[in-house]
Amino acid sequence: MRTFLVCSLLLAVAACRRPSTQFAAMLTPINQPADYIRYLKSGDELVAVGNDPEWSLMVNSSKGQIRFKSTAGDSLATAIPERQTDADGVIRYNVPLETGSLNVVFRPDSCLNTKSGQRYDYRVQVDVRGKNYIGCGVSLQKMALLQDIWVLTNFQGKTITASGPRNELPRLEISLTEGRVTGTTGCNRLSGSVRADTRQIQFGPMVMTKMACADPVATFETNFLNALVQPFSYEVANGKLTLLRNRQPMMVFKKVD
């Protein structure tokens, strides 16, 4: 068995061709996923940044620590207190310090960082010993849940059953920290790149094995690969990953236990 580069997912099961300029553009959407990988690798679940003065805040439950750093000189690391979440989704942390206190509020609302041009999911207010900092923030908990093995159960509204020469369901194993996805179409093995942020996920380009697949498996494989060309929005809940396009479910996966 040998592998070949899928030069165009639209012709995934055909002979390999040199990629066209048009297809390269399709793999690079106007709005690339924001890059939170370094925070994900560190285990940070909440991140906030601000300007004038520049500051950053990270909440890391695995290390049990809140870290705050400012170019104005207010920098500290302290243990995480109990998290308070209001009915409207507002997240609060109140930390008594030796002198004064640290108060953090993440309020759900679209927030644009005017310096970087990046859009965030929260408006954030940080009060450090009476000094007030305003900025934007994000929760990476949903992104962290993406990193798992997912088996396809529904494709474009139709239930998927095991098929192909291996009698298996299509599967994706997502590792955002490595920027890689591996898996199977139900017939051929695949691997490639993946990027995601809190709003969207983008796959490709892909490498896959070149095993001949009879219909209807071959037709499904082509449709499956075609669907992976463009970015998706996504939802992760109750052991299910739903990939959506224009707010409509395109694929539903179940987490492998």
Side-chain angles (χ1 to χ4, degrees):
M1 185 179 295
R2 61 192 181 88
T3 61
F4 75 104
L5 178 64
V6 180
C7 299
S8 171
L9 292 180
L10 297 175
L11 297 174
V13 294
C16 184
R17 302 189 311 177
R18 186 174 298 277
S20 67
T21 303
Q22 182 180 6
F23 184 69
M26 291 176 64
L27 290 178
T28 310
I30 295 174
N31 296 315
Q32 289 280 343
D35 188 3
Y36 296 119
I37 298 306
R38 65 187 179 99
Y39 300 113
L40 207 60
K41 286 182 177 179
S42 297
D44 297 323
E45 62 183 56
L46 287 171
V47 177
V49 296
N51 307 313
D52 195 28
E54 291 187 2
W55 62 270
S56 62
L57 178 137
M58 276 74 75
V59 178
N60 191 310
S61 294
S62 62
K63 297 177 182 177
Q65 191 178 66
I66 293 180
R67 305 188 308 277
F68 178 81
K69 186 175 182 179
S70 166
T71 55
D74 292 311
S75 298
L76 59 89
T78 185
I80 299 177
E82 183 178 355
R83 173 172 169 166
Q84 303 172 31
T85 304
D86 299 347
D88 56 359
V90 176
I91 301 169
R92 304 175 189 272
Y93 292 97
N94 300 305
V95 187
L97 305 174
E98 290 184 4
T99 57
S101 62
L102 168 67
N103 299 298
V104 180
V105 178
F106 278 71
R107 194 175 304 278
D109 193 7
S110 181
C111 182
L112 180 67
N113 185 306
T114 55
K115 184 174 182 179
S116 67
Q118 184 172 327
R119 189 164 294 281
Y120 292 80
D121 303 326
Y122 291 84
R123 294 189 181 275
V124 182
Q125 180 175 331
V126 180
D127 184 272
V128 183
R129 302 186 181 95
K131 293 183 180 180
N132 192 255
Y133 296 85
I134 302 296
C136 302
V138 65
S139 170
L140 302 183
Q141 289 180 318
K142 189 171 77 167
M143 276 185 68
L145 291 175
L146 272 177
Q147 300 203 113
D148 219 310
I149 302 174
W150 303 95
V151 172
L152 185 67
T153 60
N154 190 285
F155 182 78
Q156 296 180 347
K158 297 181 180 180
T159 300
I160 301 301
T161 57
S163 58
R166 299 185 181 88
N167 193 36
E168 61 184 356
L169 289 166
R171 183 181 71 255
L172 296 178
E173 182 171 356
I174 299 171
S175 175
L176 296 181
T177 52
E178 296 180 2
R180 300 293 298 171
V181 58
T182 57
T184 174
T185 65
C187 178
N188 281 289
R189 304 295 185 188
L190 63 81
S191 65
S193 61
V194 62
R195 290 187 63 184
D197 57 20
T198 62
R199 298 169 182 265
Q200 64 175 351
I201 183 168
Q202 176 190 342
F203 299 97
M206 297 288 186
V207 170
M208 61 181 282
T209 57
K210 194 177 181 181
M211 178 180 289
C213 311
D215 274 331
V217 178
T219 298
F220 169 80
E221 180 179 69
T222 301
N223 293 337
F224 179 61
L225 292 170
N226 286 348
L228 292 178
V229 171
Q230 295 293 333
F232 296 92
S233 57
Y234 68 94
E235 297 173 355
V236 186
N238 302 318
K240 291 184 178 180
L241 167 62
T242 304
L243 302 182
L244 306 99
R245 191 163 291 145
N246 298 322
R247 299 184 180 180
Q248 298 300 314
M250 292 286 292
M251 306 185 199
V252 180
F253 295 79
K254 185 175 82 169
K255 179 179 175 180
V256 175
D257 295 327

